[in-house]
Amino acid sequence: MPDSDALDNATHLPRRNWASIVLVLVVQALNSFSDNFVKMLLIALSIIIAKDSWVGRHMELWLGAIFSLPYMIFAPLAGYWSDRFSKRNVIIWMQVMQILCFIWLTIALWMKRVPGSLEICLVGFFLLAVQAAVLSPAKMGVMKELAGSRRLGRVSGWLQVTMLAGILGGMWAGGTWYGTEYEKTGDAWMSALWPLIIISVLGIGELLASLCIQKTPAHPEVHWRKSMALEHFESVKIVFRRRSIRLAALGVTYFWFISNAISFILVTLTKELHPGTTGGDGPMELAKVAGILGIGVISGSFFASHVSKNRIEMGLIPLGGFGLVVGLLWSGLATLGSSWMYAGIIFTGAAGGCFMVPLYAFAQDKAEKHEKARIHAGMNLMDCLGTLVAVAIVGLMKWLEFSSSTQFLLLAIPTFVAAVYIMRLLPQDLVKLLLLAAVRLIYKVKPFHAGCVPATGGVLLLPNHVSYVDALVVAASCRRPVRFVIWDMLYRLWWLNGFLRLIGTVPISPTRAKDAVRSVAAALKEGEVVCLFPEGQITRHGMINELRKGFELMARQGDAQVVPVCLAGLYGSIFSFQGGKFFTKRPKHLRYPVEVHFGEPYTAREGTAEAVRHSILAMSSTALMSRSIWDDAGEDKVAFANALRLSEAEWHRAGDVFLSLEPAGTIIQHTIKALTQLIPGSKYIDHADAAHATHIIAFGTRASLDKLTGHERLAFCFDSDLSPLPATTALRGYIDATTGILLSTEVPDPQMVTGDEGLQLGKKPGSLGRLLPGFNIESTADSVRISGLMPEDPRVITIAGVKFDEDGFLVI
């Protein structure tokens, strides 16, 4: 069986692992369903037959306490069994025990009115809780053995979702089934007996499913010690040994405290809605509110699992905490039995799901392999203590005769305190989560090869710089938390300083290069992922600028791996310079599609500016070749390819009129016509109509430049001649004579802010223009080789006597 590291490095999990993960999910979901089905049957039975007895009056509290006791008594032993023996075998043994517990409960219910039969049912429920206590660390621990660390966030989310689905589904089904049977028969005991007999068949299905789980290894090196049975809190000591796991465990404990307290309050709420009922309305109402709560919890857990599919999003924890406060206040202030009250219960459940999923995933991921099951057993012990506290607090509130609404409101007070404390622990995670949520709302970010980012150690990410949101787009795509390098002058802005510190940026000074290198290298040595934009400026012409070489020293001093990153599709968004302006453009559409390509990592020595630039260009070519827009290319794919690349460069404006100086049927004329299909608001005209048009941009060769009227806004000269262009204001480009592919072009020098003039050039004397976007290029001593011409086109263009310089120009 592959170990965790091997699974993390695999592109896809083996099918056998996926099948076993599904089987574990099925087994634990059915197990939780059966346990809580029985729990609801007993509560419903007590509502009908034992309202005035010392057991029946507070049956929900007795069951809550009884279910917690085995976790407290047997937690160390359960953790040891799962650490020592195959977790798969432990799961099988517990399915057998569950079937035996069902037999016990069936006999107890069959005894009907025998004195003490209800108490005998509680003993059977205690044995069922013992089975659940032993199963819990085994099912949680086996998930990392089957899925590895990288996928643990998603799988843990599924585990919690299916467990909660089983819990709440069992509560709903148990109450509804009992209520329906009681309405038909009027026999309280038989209404519980027959559903239990039928549901016991699920135990056989669980056993068969557990037998099909992939075999997992035992760990004979974990030895039993006689003192272990007396070391009642040994597992808790392991949990508290590390601060990160301790805090996560305390958060999970609070979740189970609040969730159990809410479930107890729902029983009080049911009795308030149906006071003195002798029919099945009470059990069915309890099933209804439990189902409503379940819809919320499952929805929130699914959402948290989806958000955490690539990494564990800790920012969900404070967000869920404050959501719980809002939900409790909402439920408590709403009119009893109103739709608003039910909506508040759903919201409370959803917030709880968001709160719980990342906590469980984080604790499981940080636990050492040989301690994983005992850590989970320790967490279970703490959860039980939280449940007992909930029993005590809700019992006190019932003794004081507080209404269910008052109980909801009182619970909001400690929940608010807990949420504030969590926010103080995780302010960065919360802010980053909200920022990334905003980015994902505006952009449809699709990462490629995110696994190229090493899972551990210092990593320097080097993306091209396209827009003001590049940092957030990269952060939304990377599985690890990312710190970004920014100019320290921004730290001197009082209104921005606190925010930049909060999100963990690395400030550097453009005038103190050595300090900048030391700052970034220090972060890399600490094993962090740092993102630096090596161009040092946002492109204003749509093509890549010179990569400044300072990052090379940073990577070497920080002993970090270098990962090139290509942002594709961002040029044209409102935060880019397309159209000659930032921010003031109208968005083309929401969920703007963006691709983030991660390249293969380089060592610090190999990751030179030249290597990184060629990697970014190669990924840019791959991104362009895979775009669905090629489906609209039509028959003349060469003209479409030329037009597509020209439209990505910065030279056109809305309302431009395109004039071809070349006759119909030439590649230039076809390219210009294709441009009008790609650039909204543009128009194609023939030379005969040029005298009556404005905003003209003319396209031709050096042989047709004499047709210019002198009133054109811009003129382009495209041909395959390497000789100098005669004195003209036309912008030069190069077309390969054999393929007809336009490779490069000059563009107008972009408008820069005062003091930055000349930092970005659109044209350069002695060049053929800038290499257009989407090409892959290899430089030799006396030529360049250009590939990635069109999709599924393997041809390579070689231009002798030309070099590719640092600014991206083809220089003669």
Side-chain angles (χ1 to χ4, degrees):
M1 181 176 179
D3 61 18
S4 180
D5 291 339
L7 293 174
D8 288 343
N9 293 326
T11 305
H12 303 286
L13 280 180
R15 289 185 178 181
R16 187 74 179 89
N17 288 58
W18 275 123
S20 295
I21 288 171
V22 172
L23 287 169
V24 173
L25 293 174
V26 170
V27 168
Q28 68 101 35
L30 292 177
N31 199 280
S32 299
F33 178 89
S34 301
D35 291 351
N36 287 275
F37 187 91
V38 172
K39 179 180 179 180
M40 185 59 73
L41 286 180
L42 296 178
I43 293 175
L45 176 64
S46 70
I47 290 175
I48 301 298
I49 70 168
K51 290 184 291 184
D52 298 325
S53 72
W54 68 277
V55 172
R57 190 180 304 125
H58 306 297
M59 176 61 78
E60 74 278 10
L61 300 181
W62 284 109
L63 292 175
I66 286 172
F67 199 79
S68 300
L69 287 177
Y71 288 91
M72 300 179 64
I73 299 171
F74 299 111
L77 186 60
Y80 165 74
W81 281 342
S82 290
D83 282 343
R84 168 61 180 84
F85 301 103
S86 166
K87 295 175 180 62
R88 179 248 194 188
N89 291 345
V90 174
I91 292 172
I92 293 172
W93 298 338
M94 290 306 101
Q95 303 319 303
V96 174
M97 183 175 177
Q98 185 190 53
I99 294 174
L100 296 176
C101 291
F102 284 153
I103 294 173
W104 176 294
L105 288 163
T106 300
I107 294 173
L109 289 175
W110 177 76
M111 292 168 64
K112 289 190 176 183
R113 298 173 180 82
V114 173
S117 57
L118 195 59
E119 287 75 8
I120 296 173
C121 286
L122 293 182
V123 174
F125 188 76
F126 174 79
L127 296 176
L128 196 63
V130 172
Q131 174 264 343
V134 178
L135 174 66
S136 186
K139 71 184 181 183
M140 292 295 293
V142 79
M143 278 308 189
K144 187 166 184 178
E145 294 183 358
L146 295 173
S149 294
R150 181 162 64 88
R151 298 175 179 89
L152 188 62
R154 175 192 284 187
V155 173
S156 178
W158 294 342
L159 194 66
Q160 301 311 314
V161 167
T162 51
M163 181 184 69
L164 289 167
I167 291 173
L168 297 162
M171 293 177 67
W172 174 83
T176 302
W177 199 341
Y178 183 90
T180 303
E181 287 291 322
Y182 187 68
E183 289 285 350
K184 291 190 299 184
T185 66
D187 189 323
W189 291 91
M190 295 302 292
S191 296
L193 178 61
W194 287 114
L196 178 60
I197 293 174
I198 295 172
I199 210 70
S200 297
V201 178
L202 285 178
I204 300 174
E206 293 171 45
L207 178 59
L208 295 175
S210 63
L211 289 169
C212 297
I213 297 171
Q214 182 178 0
K215 292 183 178 180
T216 58
H219 299 281
E221 68 276 8
V222 179
H223 298 290
W224 169 257
R225 291 176 288 107
K226 291 182 180 180
S227 61
M228 190 174 290
L230 302 176
E231 294 174 354
H232 191 75
F233 292 96
E234 182 67 27
S235 296
V236 177
K237 290 179 183 178
I238 296 174
V239 170
F240 272 70
R241 191 177 298 162
R242 292 168 57 190
R243 183 175 184 270
S244 58
I245 296 179
R246 179 174 71 249
L247 292 174
L250 288 171
V252 173
T253 298
Y254 191 81
F255 168 80
W256 285 111
F257 158 75
I258 200 72
S259 63
N260 278 286
I262 291 172
S263 67
F264 299 152
I265 294 172
L266 292 182
V267 178
T268 302
L269 184 149
T270 299
K271 294 176 180 178
E272 291 174 353
L273 290 174
H274 300 278
T277 181
T278 57
D281 292 345
M284 286 191 283
E285 176 66 31
L286 182 57
K288 174 184 173 182
V289 292
I292 287 173
L293 179 66
I295 291 173
V297 174
I298 293 171
S299 300
S301 299
F302 264 121
F303 172 76
S305 180
H306 174 72
V307 172
S308 299
K309 63 182 179 181
N310 288 323
R311 64 182 176 197
I312 301 171
E313 286 288 358
M314 301 298 287
L316 286 170
I317 301 170
L319 193 66
F322 283 108
L324 280 170
V325 175
V326 173
L328 289 168
L329 292 175
W330 185 346
S331 303
L333 294 173
T335 303
L336 187 67
S338 67
S339 298
W340 277 106
M341 184 199 73
Y342 293 129
I345 293 173
I346 291 176
F347 186 87
T348 304
C354 290
F355 183 83
M356 176 194 61
V357 168
L359 280 170
Y360 261 116
F362 179 79
Q364 281 294 106
D365 187 49
K366 294 301 180 183
E368 298 293 336
K369 184 176 181 180
H370 65 282
E371 295 179 339
K372 189 172 297 296
R374 275 183 289 173
I375 282 178
H376 188 70
M379 291 175 63
N380 282 339
L381 178 59
M382 294 172 61
D383 298 344
C384 292
L385 291 173
T387 300
L388 292 179
V389 173
V391 169
I393 290 177
V394 175
L396 176 62
M397 290 192 292
K398 290 182 69 175
W399 180 71
L400 294 172
E401 298 184 351
F402 289 154
S403 68
S404 58
S405 297
T406 302
Q407 293 180 44
F408 279 130
L409 295 175
L410 289 175
L411 279 182
I413 298 172
T415 305
F416 176 76
V417 175
V420 171
Y421 177 70
I422 293 169
M423 185 183 69
R424 294 185 64 182
L425 290 176
L426 301 170
Q428 286 187 11
D429 299 274
L430 177 60
V431 171
K432 287 179 180 178
L433 177 70
L434 296 175
L435 287 174
L436 295 182
V439 168
R440 292 187 177 108
L441 180 65
I442 300 173
Y443 295 97
K444 185 177 182 180
V445 181
K446 188 174 182 180
F448 289 85
H449 308 295
C452 288
V453 179
T456 58
V459 179
L460 186 59
L461 300 181
L462 299 172
N464 55 317
H465 208 356
V466 186
S467 75
Y468 277 104
V469 295
D470 292 350
L472 296 176
V473 171
V474 172
S477 306
C478 186
R479 291 172 177 156
R480 294 176 60 185
V482 183
R483 296 184 66 185
F484 292 89
V485 176
I486 65 167
W487 297 124
D488 64 352
M489 64 185 71
L490 296 176
Y491 269 70
R492 292 194 288 271
L493 300 175
W494 64 268
W495 54 273
L496 197 56
N497 180 275
F499 174 76
L500 294 177
R501 292 182 184 277
L502 185 63
I503 62 176
T505 54
V506 181
I508 63 173
S509 170
T511 59
R512 298 192 301 274
K514 291 183 179 180
D515 291 342
V517 171
R518 280 194 291 266
S519 297
V520 176
L524 294 172
K525 283 182 179 179
E526 293 174 2
E528 299 190 66
V529 178
V530 178
C531 180
L532 180 147
F533 295 95
E535 293 171 87
Q537 53 188 326
I538 296 174
T539 179
R540 293 176 176 243
H541 43 61
M543 294 164 278
I544 191 168
N545 288 297
E546 177 187 4
L547 304 189
R548 301 176 184 180
K549 298 183 178 181
F551 73 83
E552 297 176 357
L553 188 56
M554 296 173 182
R556 288 197 292 269
Q557 289 193 5
D559 192 24
Q561 297 192 67
V562 174
V563 177
V565 182
C566 176
L567 302 176
L570 265 172
Y571 199 77
S573 69
I574 60 174
F575 299 104
S576 70
F577 195 68
Q578 198 232 21
K581 53 190 176 182
F582 293 110
F583 306 115
T584 55
K585 300 184 291 294
R586 300 178 67 181
K588 297 178 181 179
H589 49 79
L590 283 177
R591 301 300 317 278
Y592 197 91
V594 177
E595 294 180 1
V596 182
H597 294 255
F598 294 89
E600 290 294 329
Y602 293 103
T603 65
R605 293 287 177 184
E606 295 170 340
T608 63
E610 182 178 2
V612 169
R613 182 173 63 157
H614 280 81
S615 179
I616 293 175
L617 290 174
M619 290 185 284
S620 171
S621 176
T622 300
L624 187 67
M625 294 302 102
S626 63
R627 286 172 60 177
S628 60
I629 196 171
W630 289 99
D631 296 337
D632 303 326
E635 296 182 1
D636 196 341
K637 291 188 176 181
V638 172
F640 183 84
N642 293 342
L644 180 59
R645 289 189 169 95
L646 270 177
S647 67
E648 299 280 325
E650 183 60 37
W651 53 270
H652 50 85
R653 297 287 183 271
D656 280 339
V657 175
F658 299 152
L659 167 65
S660 174
L661 304 179
E662 298 298 303
T666 60
I667 185 59
I668 291 179
Q669 192 258 356
H670 285 177
T671 295
I672 306 316
K673 277 201 165 184
L675 263 175
T676 61
Q677 304 301 315
L678 295 174
I679 300 177
S682 61
K683 178 182 178 182
Y684 173 83
I685 62 171
D686 293 319
H687 197 271
D689 300 322
H692 307 290
T694 57
H695 303 288
I696 297 176
I697 301 179
F699 300 83
T701 63
R702 66 183 67 204
S704 59
L705 290 180
D706 57 351
K707 298 180 181 179
L708 293 172
T709 65
H711 300 293
E712 292 83 4
R713 186 171 72 82
L714 292 175
F716 288 91
C717 175
F718 297 149
D719 58 27
S720 56
D721 193 337
L722 294 180
S723 62
L725 195 66
T728 178
T729 58
L731 300 170
R732 184 176 189 179
Y734 182 82
I735 284 184
D736 178 61
T738 303
T739 63
I741 294 290
L742 179 62
L743 300 176
S744 65
T745 185
E746 294 180 328
V747 295
D749 287 334
Q751 181 181 357
M752 305 292 291
V753 297
T754 303
D756 288 345
E757 296 88 348
L759 289 182
Q760 295 190 36
L761 300 175
K763 50 187 180 291
K764 179 182 286 189
S767 79
L768 303 176
R770 282 185 172 274
L771 183 72
L772 284 167
F775 285 117
N776 189 11
I777 187 167
E778 297 178 16
S779 301
T780 63
D782 57 356
S783 66
V784 293
R785 291 167 49 84
I786 301 174
S787 57
L789 310 183
M790 293 182 294
E792 301 179 359
D793 188 340
R795 292 177 294 176
V796 177
I797 297 173
T798 301
I799 312 176
V802 172
K803 293 183 179 180
F804 185 52
D805 73 1
E806 292 85 353
D807 289 322
F809 287 90
L810 297 180
V811 179
I812 304 171

